[in-house]
Amino acid sequence: MAQHVAQKLRLTSALLGTVTRKDLAAAFRAVDPKTAFDLGRADKWLQGRARPRQVSVYEDWAKLLELEQPGAWIAESDLPSFTAAIAARHGIGSAELERRAGVQFEASAHDDKSVGQALAGTYACYSRAWSPYRRGQLIRGRLSIGAGPGVHGFSAIYRETLPTGQLQLGGPVTPAKRSLYLHLREVGGEAQFFLCLFPHTQPVSVLGGYMCGTAIIGPEAQPSITRILLVRLRDTPAAEQWGGYLPPGTSIAADLASLGIVIEHPETVDRQLGQFLSADSDGGVNQIPPAEFRAILDVFDRHWLQHAG
């Protein structure tokens, strides 16, 4: 039975001087081009949420560390024995190796904390209503990001005010190089929403991407997807100010102004945001051209920075 996999991987990374998961995966590929060590699974292994099931991963690991012991020993050894063996093999003190691994771990934790601080706040969320009874209308929700039990140390709570009552979902926020993911589950219910957003950039004035789930209000179960914009607010409005479905023809710019975000040229912004949220699929594939979101990002980033004081 494999044990202490996350710690052993961090010690290995510290020994090899590999800074990122990608670097560590490249080191495994160098000893075995067909290695079962890959980035997707390595993320969970390094977080201690899973461990390699393929014996070949441990065999490749033994080759990588140039050990005389077999892969099975790497999997089953206790942490002090593992540390002592690789330190002796490569002529480094165990204490020094542990220090390097600790510094690396602290740097990773600091990066996660920095991401959480950048994203923390309250967002006004605009998307197309999924309910067939509200076809064509916008719905506004509220998303709050803060410290939480997620793997990266922060999570989100999303709220909508529906005719049937308050809908509240919560879950972890997972940043990645190519996206920002939120997997939200209804508190005391079965609904689940999944948000796949463009990676966040400073000063995080707006986020955008897709939200998918199932329509909450309707005669049938309908798997659904919509584009969504999340505009970061400087102040958190009172809960009673938060609506659900917006009346047809509502100006998003005017709605944001009521929440403290007053944008210049509101007619132009309304047209830009309306086109973004209403875009259809292209050839059956729903994808957002990066330039479309970048144009919106430019508007809100400029506004945020102008009012930074």
Side-chain angles (χ1 to χ4, degrees):
M1 179 67 70
Q3 59 177 339
H4 311 300
V5 169
Q7 295 94 322
K8 290 174 180 176
L9 282 174
R10 284 200 291 271
L11 287 163
T12 299
S13 184
L15 177 71
L16 300 176
T18 54
V19 178
T20 66
R21 294 172 174 81
K22 186 176 181 180
D23 294 334
L24 186 58
F28 269 81
R29 286 197 301 274
V31 297
D32 181 4
K34 297 182 179 180
T35 185
F37 187 104
D38 65 73
L39 279 176
R41 285 177 287 191
D43 192 51
K44 293 183 179 179
W45 298 339
L46 282 159
Q47 292 166 3
R49 294 190 292 146
R51 51 178 176 258
R53 296 183 180 278
Q54 298 93 331
V55 175
S56 63
V57 171
Y58 300 101
E59 294 299 336
D60 291 340
W61 201 343
K63 295 176 185 176
L64 178 63
L65 292 173
E66 301 176 359
L67 294 176
E68 296 179 357
Q69 294 91 334
W73 179 86
I74 291 182
E76 299 169 359
S77 61
D78 58 56
L79 201 55
S81 297
F82 176 82
T83 304
I86 65 174
R89 178 67 182 82
H90 293 273
I92 182 174
S94 296
E96 171 61 16
L97 182 58
E98 290 173 345
R99 186 194 67 80
R100 292 182 189 178
V103 169
Q104 212 171 58
F105 177 72
E106 289 172 6
S108 176
H110 176 74
D111 289 344
D112 283 345
K113 183 178 180 181
S114 298
V115 170
Q117 291 174 341
L119 289 168
T122 301
Y123 299 77
C125 308
Y126 298 91
S127 60
R128 290 290 171 184
W130 288 337
S131 173
Y133 305 128
R134 300 284 185 161
R135 191 68 69 218
Q137 286 183 242
L138 290 172
I139 188 168
R140 186 181 72 192
R142 173 175 59 176
L143 183 88
S144 300
I145 297 179
V151 171
H152 295 273
F154 50 104
S155 57
I157 296 177
Y158 177 77
R159 298 179 178 89
E160 287 181 354
T161 301
L162 302 175
T164 52
Q166 286 285 332
L167 174 68
Q168 179 173 318
L169 306 94
V173 177
T174 305
K177 289 184 179 180
R178 298 178 67 86
S179 189
L180 178 67
Y181 302 106
L182 287 77
H183 188 183
L184 310 174
R185 299 171 183 269
E186 183 181 4
V187 178
E190 297 181 350
Q192 296 187 40
F193 290 174
F194 181 75
L195 278 67
C196 179
L197 309 174
F198 282 101
H200 70 284
T201 57
Q202 294 285 9
V204 196
S205 64
V206 63
L207 300 169
Y210 283 112
M211 179 169 70
C212 65
T214 302
I216 302 299
I217 299 177
E220 299 175 313
Q222 290 182 283
S224 308
I225 186 169
T226 180
R227 290 190 181 191
I228 186 170
L229 282 172
L230 303 85
V231 181
R232 190 177 184 184
L233 304 177
R234 293 187 178 277
D235 301 303
T236 302
E240 59 267 20
Q241 293 182 341
W242 289 86
Y245 297 109
L246 299 179
T250 294
S251 163
I252 298 179
D255 192 63
L256 285 171
S258 72
L259 299 172
I261 304 294
V262 181
I263 304 291
E264 294 181 359
H265 312 297
E267 296 85 359
T268 302
V269 171
D270 272 336
R271 185 166 53 253
Q272 185 179 27
L273 301 188
Q275 289 174 349
F276 178 89
L277 292 172
S278 300
D280 295 323
S281 63
D282 180 12
V285 177
N286 287 289
Q287 289 181 323
I288 303 174
E292 281 189 36
F293 179 65
R294 195 179 306 120
I296 293 173
L297 188 66
D298 182 66
V299 171
F300 286 95
D301 275 359
R302 288 178 185 274
H303 177 274
W304 187 274
L305 293 172
Q306 286 171 0
H307 297 79

